[in-house]
Amino acid sequence: MDPDTQAIVTLIGVIVLFIALCAALILVVISLRRPRGPVLIAAAAIILLALVALSILPARLPVLASAVLAVLGTALAIVGGNPFTRWVLTIADGGRTTEGPRGGILVEMMSGRDSAAVREEEILRGGTTIGYLERACAALGILAGFPGAVAIVVALKGVGRFTELATPAARERFIVGTMASLLWACAVAGVVWLAVW
């Protein structure tokens, strides 16, 4: 392929990828307040198609285009994981988990000495903020060429939440939420990594 044709193909590829990432970002922003399955499935399908296309047709991008795609992809990885994770958690527990006033979940706990007394306690507070941070670390780690950052994030999160994982509901929510969040972030970062490198 001659250099002019290569440049045109690369430019078309950058434009198509930029539009795809923008479309996915718009779809997840629409679902920020209330996760909507079909909208999130469409966003995930766009990301999956971009992954497949980039793995089949690798192309070298100019530095400026790479930087723009990296910023856009990182934003999509961080923001898009929130509605995606909440949607997956709703599917996993059938919508039975009650969210607490401080961002955690309400679970029934047995009182220490009186095994008949049951009290409601909010656990896993700050999950939304932690989710944004974990997706940022995972996406930036992958883009920087250090995918081991994902393992570090999982380890830190597990150690930090260990004392709150006493109930089956908390363990399930922790595992499902972490996996969904990191799956989203890694998939989006993978698209950008394939495009940039």
Side-chain angles (χ1 to χ4, degrees), residues 51-66:
L51 267 173
V52 170
L54 287 169
S55 63
I56 293 171
L57 305 168
R60 284 286 194 186
L61 300 182
V63 174
L64 181 61
S66 297

Side-chain angles (χ1 to χ4, degrees), residues 20-179:
L21 291 177
C22 284
L25 185 59
I26 289 168
L27 290 172
V28 297
V29 167
I30 289 171
S31 291
L32 273 176
R33 275 200 113 99
R34 198 177 111 234
R36 296 174 180 90
V39 174
L40 291 169
I41 289 170
I46 290 170
I47 293 165
L48 184 62
L49 287 173
L51 267 173
V52 170
L54 287 169
S55 63
I56 293 171
L57 305 168
R60 284 286 194 186
L61 300 182
V63 174
L64 181 61
S66 297
V68 169
L69 290 176
V71 169
L72 180 60
T74 302
L76 177 60
I78 295 168
V79 175
N82 180 312
F84 180 76
T85 301
R86 289 180 16 234
W87 177 63
V88 169
L89 285 169
T90 301
I91 291 170
D93 73 0
R96 292 184 306 269
T97 302
T98 306
E99 292 188 14
R102 295 180 298 189
I105 61 169
L106 298 174
V107 294
E108 291 182 352
M109 305 288 279
M110 303 301 273
S111 293
R113 293 184 182 160
D114 185 9
S115 60
V118 176
R119 62 183 165 77
E120 208 168 58
E121 185 177 318
E122 185 174 3
I123 59 173
L124 301 177
R125 294 181 307 276
T128 301
T129 304
I130 292 169
Y132 283 123
L133 293 172
E134 81 184 26
R135 289 186 296 276
C137 290
L140 292 172
I142 289 170
L143 292 178
F146 181 60
V150 176
I152 294 169
V153 167
V154 171
L156 285 172
K157 191 173 177 186
V159 169
R161 291 289 199 188
F162 182 74
T163 59
E164 293 182 278
L165 301 177
T167 65
R171 286 190 298 270
E172 178 182 330
R173 189 166 182 91
F174 176 81
I175 292 168
V176 171
T178 299
M179 292 299 122

Side-chain angles (χ1 to χ4, degrees), residues 179-195:
M179 292 299 122
S181 178
L182 289 175
L183 173 67
W184 180 271
C186 291
V188 174
V191 167
V192 176
W193 190 85
L194 283 172

